[in-house]
Amino acid sequence: MPATAVAEPRAQVRGEMDDALREQIETAVGEVDAAIENRFQARRRAQQAAESAEALLRSEGYYQSLIEDVIEGENPPQAIVDITPGPRFTLDEPQVLWIETPPDPEVGAQAIAENGLEPGEPGRAVEVIAAEGRIVAGLTRRGYADAEADERRVVVDHATQLVSPTYRINSGLLVRLDGIDLQTRGPTNPAWVSGLAPWEEGDVYDPEDVAELERRLLETNVYDGVAVALSPIDATREDGLRPIVVTLTDRPRRVLEAGLYASTSEGVGVDGLWTWVNRFGRADTLRFRARAATIDSRIGADLSIPHWRRPGRTLTLGAFAVNETTDAYDRIAVTAHADLRQRLGRTSWFRYGVGLDAGQYTENRFDPVTQTPITLDRNLALLTGRGGFYMDRSNDPLNPTRGWRVSADVQPTAVAGDDSLVFLRTEAQATAYLPIRDGGRSVLAGRVKIGSIVGGEELTIPSDRLFYSGGGGSVRGYEFQGVGPRLPDNTPRGGLSVFETSVEYRHDIGESFAAVGFLDAGSIGFQETPNLSNMRYGAGFGVRYYLPFGPVRADVAFPLNKAEGDPDFQLYISIGQAF
């Protein structure tokens, strides 16, 4: 069996120097796999090591170092590089020479001030080069998009031990912007793209504005590719303005999708979705949906139009025919809604809108006067104001390991038909993620949810607006709507308030899997404030399998204080973490 090669230094490093510099030199000298066999090979390695050490020392500002390649011993010979670093040269005040057209004096002074070099600091080559880039970048940010550096001159004075850089910069002309030059084979409306630009005609070029336009187009999620760049200098208009070139690559405009799901708590279902993107040339998304399911069947369509009348605001319109069949109620209705959502930053938003529902309700309720269960058949129309916000300060939308999230919804509702009333439904939730080991390989996650209905009674509030708890998104281990008091026939009884909380410990196993243990709790109350005296608890464990887009989760949960009719366990499989 052949011997395994062991890496060893190309040459030993000797000399008086601080540990940090020695480590840098040893890294620059490098390693080899084969042992030295003769003096010729040793001499060659020592010379190579000396050249690498000299390059490193000069780049770090040591311009008077003494380096000697040495060979010692015979069997085997040793390659040695003996180094005396000498004094470290320091930076002198950098000089900037404007060639051809100079920039505005104030702009030039600001760009030079951002070079980052401090006289007296070590004369490191990398800093000298980086300073040149910072000057050019400073000019670019201030509208000189064609700024570039010519050959620089760096004088190393051995008498004064100073490094004196002189930069030769061509700023070019100040660039002012014209409109948008849209290049696409798709139906996107050029006027709509122009309306997204965060500048007016004649404004000074700012690369951050160009990047913001690119972000606005990307967040519509209807393009496979988006490129936004300043046009070449030869595209300058007669009035001196230059357009921004936007290149869009469209996704397939029509996509048909289907899905099948099954749950021990929510039954089975089949989904169909036909999506038509950019139908109106505004990066819009039109979806036709159909679902046949045990609990919630529906058919209808919704339209999403991003950047509606202002950047970051999305208009959503939708209408559906709905057939819900739950233990607590049945509902056949038509629904319609219109919402505006305004983005705040990259992951946060607030929304407001209105919804209209009209349909027939068959409700299994509890009469507080007779203290008996009753069945109500009502025809109701509901006009609902829809407001809410979502703030995300976590580090990942599907698999967060640190940070927090807060959301809230407010729904003032007027009811007409067989009953008439006005009530306010509010709901808020907060989640937090704390890495406790190995930079996020072990995470403690927590969730709290609270909700309340004000202005109505349990018997008069439409059943679909009451609070229920239980299932994969709330208290695991119980059936859908399985947490909370029930009617004598074991039918779930909705309430005017809800409280839920969860804690989950997640630990990565290898690169692709994670193990999870969790405890959930929740309660339903019949007053406006949550009732914590009837808490139900569930606990369990699960696994996560990490895919490129996020984790697939599988959880097994057990009810800890079972009531009559509760299952022994529940199984949940879905994409993304539980919260």
Side-chain angles (χ1 to χ4, degrees):
M1 181 179 294
T4 302
V6 178
E8 61 180 38
R10 186 180 302 277
Q12 295 183 22
V13 177
R14 291 182 182 175
E16 295 293 329
M17 66 194 77
D18 62 59
D19 292 341
L21 181 59
R22 182 182 298 277
E23 185 177 347
Q24 287 180 286
I25 294 174
E26 289 175 346
T27 301
V29 167
E31 296 179 335
V32 291
D33 292 333
I36 294 175
E37 297 178 355
N38 51 56
R39 291 185 66 84
F40 173 78
Q41 193 178 66
R43 173 66 64 186
R44 185 175 60 183
R45 289 189 181 179
Q47 290 173 345
Q48 292 171 343
E51 292 171 359
S52 299
E54 181 180 19
L56 183 279
L57 287 165
R58 291 177 67 85
S59 71
E60 291 295 319
Y62 296 93
Y63 291 95
Q64 290 181 349
S65 57
L66 298 176
I67 305 173
E68 182 181 4
D69 54 275
V70 180
I71 308 301
E72 292 183 354
E74 293 294 338
N75 190 24
Q78 288 185 313
I80 299 168
V81 58
D82 197 311
I83 300 173
T84 302
R88 195 174 198 181
F89 287 34
T90 58
L91 290 169
D92 195 6
E93 186 73 39
Q95 303 296 317
V96 176
L97 298 179
W98 303 112
I99 58 177
E100 297 188 23
T101 306
D104 176 83
E106 183 178 351
V107 170
Q110 291 172 342
I112 293 172
E114 295 173 355
N115 69 78
L117 297 183
E118 292 291 338
E121 292 292 314
R124 302 177 67 240
V126 66
E127 294 298 335
V128 171
I129 297 171
E132 183 179 76
R134 285 191 282 265
I135 294 171
V136 172
L139 291 169
T140 302
R141 285 196 304 273
R142 294 170 174 86
Y144 291 86
D146 305 308
E148 59 182 3
D150 205 341
E151 186 176 356
R152 61 184 170 274
R153 181 169 179 262
V154 181
V155 176
V156 178
D157 191 327
H158 286 258
T160 61
Q161 297 177 356
L162 290 175
V163 177
S164 304
T166 299
Y167 302 110
R168 294 163 49 81
I169 308 294
N170 179 9
S171 69
L173 297 175
L174 182 68
V175 175
R176 295 187 180 275
L177 297 177
D178 190 14
I180 298 293
D181 181 4
L182 179 62
Q183 298 180 0
T184 179
R185 295 181 179 179
T188 300
N189 188 335
W192 176 77
V193 178
S194 297
L196 295 184
W199 64 80
E200 300 291 337
E201 183 176 324
D203 283 356
V204 172
Y205 167 82
D206 185 339
E208 283 300 316
D209 286 344
V210 175
E212 175 61 21
L213 175 57
E214 186 171 73
R215 282 191 291 268
R216 292 173 181 179
L217 289 167
L218 282 170
E219 71 180 22
T220 64
N221 293 317
V222 303
Y223 303 108
D224 276 341
V226 175
V228 183
L230 181 66
S231 61
I233 192 170
D234 57 10
T236 304
R237 314 284 195 203
E238 292 183 0
D239 55 6
L241 304 182
R242 284 165 67 178
I244 293 294
V245 179
V246 176
T247 305
L248 301 176
T249 304
D250 283 62
R251 285 170 41 193
R253 295 188 59 208
R254 297 176 180 84
V255 179
L256 181 63
E257 301 170 87
L260 174 67
Y261 67 90
S263 167
T264 57
S265 64
E266 299 178 26
V268 297
V270 178
D271 277 302
L273 177 64
W274 187 63
T275 304
W276 190 352
V277 299
N278 225 355
R279 169 66 179 81
F280 304 106
R282 299 173 52 90
D284 48 274
T285 301
L286 178 62
R287 298 182 182 91
F288 297 92
R289 301 172 182 264
R291 177 196 299 158
T294 303
I295 291 178
D296 184 355
S297 300
R298 61 181 57 211
I299 186 170
D302 61 68
L303 172 66
S304 175
I305 305 177
H307 306 300
W308 175 259
R309 296 186 178 272
R310 62 177 296 181
R313 186 167 65 184
T314 299
L315 171 65
T316 302
L317 306 172
F320 289 88
V322 179
N323 181 14
E324 285 185 275
T325 304
T326 74
D327 290 341
Y329 65 89
D330 294 340
R331 180 174 75 122
I332 299 176
V334 292
T335 70
H337 67 270
D339 291 298
L340 287 171
R341 190 175 78 171
Q342 180 65 52
R343 176 173 59 85
L344 301 172
R346 297 182 62 184
T347 57
S348 303
W349 45 263
F350 70 88
R351 67 174 176 84
Y352 51 94
V354 64
L356 178 63
D357 296 36
Q360 183 182 60
Y361 290 73
T362 299
E363 303 166 291
N364 300 312
R365 308 302 287 270
F366 183 78
D367 189 337
V369 177
T370 64
Q371 297 290 300
T372 59
I374 59 174
T375 298
L376 298 178
D377 289 314
R378 296 191 292 175
N379 294 312
L380 301 176
L382 287 71
L383 179 64
T384 303
R386 297 151 58 102
F389 75 89
Y390 176 76
M391 184 171 293
D392 186 353
R393 293 296 182 267
S394 66
N395 63 327
D396 189 284
L398 286 177
N399 186 33
T401 58
R402 65 178 181 274
W404 51 269
R405 300 170 181 168
V406 176
S407 63
D409 281 289
V410 179
Q411 296 183 357
T413 302
V415 180
D418 290 342
D419 277 306
S420 61
L421 70 151
V422 176
F423 64 92
L424 176 66
R425 189 181 195 271
T426 60
E427 185 177 320
Q429 178 168 285
T431 59
Y433 312 93
L434 177 65
I436 58 178
R437 183 180 173 188
D438 299 335
R441 293 187 64 83
S442 294
V443 175
L444 188 65
R447 176 184 74 95
V448 175
K449 173 183 175 181
I450 188 169
S452 176
I453 296 175
V454 179
E457 299 178 353
E458 177 195 345
L459 190 60
T460 58
I461 300 292
S463 292
D464 65 319
R465 301 305 169 94
L466 293 172
F467 288 109
Y468 301 90
S469 184
S474 56
V475 183
R476 286 164 285 186
Y478 297 87
E479 293 181 342
F480 177 68
Q481 299 180 338
V483 168
R486 303 187 182 191
L487 300 178
D489 62 358
N490 215 32
T491 298
R493 179 182 171 187
L496 298 179
S497 60
V498 64
F499 175 82
E500 293 176 354
T501 185
S502 301
V503 63
E504 193 167 273
Y505 178 75
R506 306 166 182 169
H507 179 69
D508 289 349
I509 301 174
E511 296 298 322
S512 300
F513 288 91
V516 172
F518 57 85
L519 175 66
D520 297 341
S523 69
I524 295 296
F526 305 122
Q527 300 79 34
E528 296 172 354
T529 56
N531 180 5
L532 305 184
S533 64
N534 60 352
M535 294 285 288
R536 306 293 295 278
Y537 300 90
F541 57 88
V543 294
R544 305 290 184 265
Y545 178 67
Y546 295 122
L547 295 173
F549 57 83
V552 174
R553 71 180 175 102
D555 291 334
V556 179
F558 306 88
L560 298 184
N561 49 339
K562 287 178 58 178
E564 181 183 353
D566 285 335
D568 293 328
F569 69 92
Q570 291 281 284
L571 174 65
Y572 308 94
I573 299 175
S574 64
I575 295 175
Q577 297 286 6
F579 56 89

